[in-house]
Amino acid sequence: MSSICIIDTSVFCNILEVPNLCQKRDQVLDRLEELIDEGATLLLPLATIYETGNHIAQNGDGRERRKAAERFTEQVDLALQGENPFTPTDINEEDELRQWLAQFPDYAEQEVGFGDMSITEAFRDECERHPSRRVFIWALDEDLSGYDRHPQV
């Protein structure tokens, strides 16, 4: 069975060629092609969407920001329509958000922001829902790249 890949902001910024945040773009695009060929499910968490939008608004000159914002809106809209390889994660229900808020002080104490916390919680949810599939977070930073659970037999 194919794997479930949760995409981090660091990867999405490279895919979208966000100014000053796409130094590993060729490497990321090669890996993206491999994952698509393998039939992996590519999940786009809401935190990744928000954080990427913030990075776009804060990098490059006005023209670069505009072009990156257009690529961003196009790709997210296509994902919402199911017309590109990405699938947005479920939009949080109030109960889930309350659970995350209750957990956040523990994460903050460890210097983990709310966005990364929500991505790790999406990882845990996917592991629970799909025990027979590999689930991993595709990130370029060390904090999230270690999340990789192989199928439970």
Side-chain angles (χ1 to χ4, degrees), residues 20-130:
N20 304 314
L21 295 172
C22 59
Q23 292 80 6
K24 296 184 178 181
R25 187 163 196 272
D26 291 340
Q27 173 188 342
V28 166
L29 292 179
D30 288 346
R31 180 67 178 134
L32 177 62
E33 189 175 324
E34 290 172 8
L35 289 168
I36 291 169
D37 289 345
E38 293 169 10
T41 300
L42 303 172
L43 297 180
L44 197 57
L46 206 51
T48 297
I49 294 169
Y50 288 153
E51 289 175 352
T52 302
N54 286 342
H55 287 313
I56 289 169
Q58 298 166 358
N59 283 283
D61 64 28
R63 222 177 11 238
E64 289 176 324
R65 286 192 304 272
R66 173 80 186 194
K67 289 178 184 175
E70 289 170 351
R71 289 189 298 272
F72 169 80
T73 56
E74 177 184 5
Q75 289 303 309
V76 173
D77 187 49
L78 289 171
L80 290 169
Q81 296 175 48
E83 295 183 12
N84 70 8
F86 309 111
T87 302
T89 56
D90 293 335
I91 304 218
N92 300 324
E93 298 292 327
E94 185 177 332
D95 290 340
E96 185 176 32
L97 183 56
R98 287 184 190 283
Q99 289 174 355
W100 290 1
L101 289 171
Q103 295 172 337
F104 183 60
D106 294 333
Y107 279 89
E109 186 177 23
Q110 299 169 38
E111 298 181 343
V112 177
F114 198 77
D116 282 0
M117 183 199 79
S118 69
I119 291 171
T120 60
E121 289 301 315
F123 170 82
R124 286 186 180 90
D125 289 347
E126 292 301 319
C127 287
E128 194 173 296
R129 281 188 225 163
H130 306 282

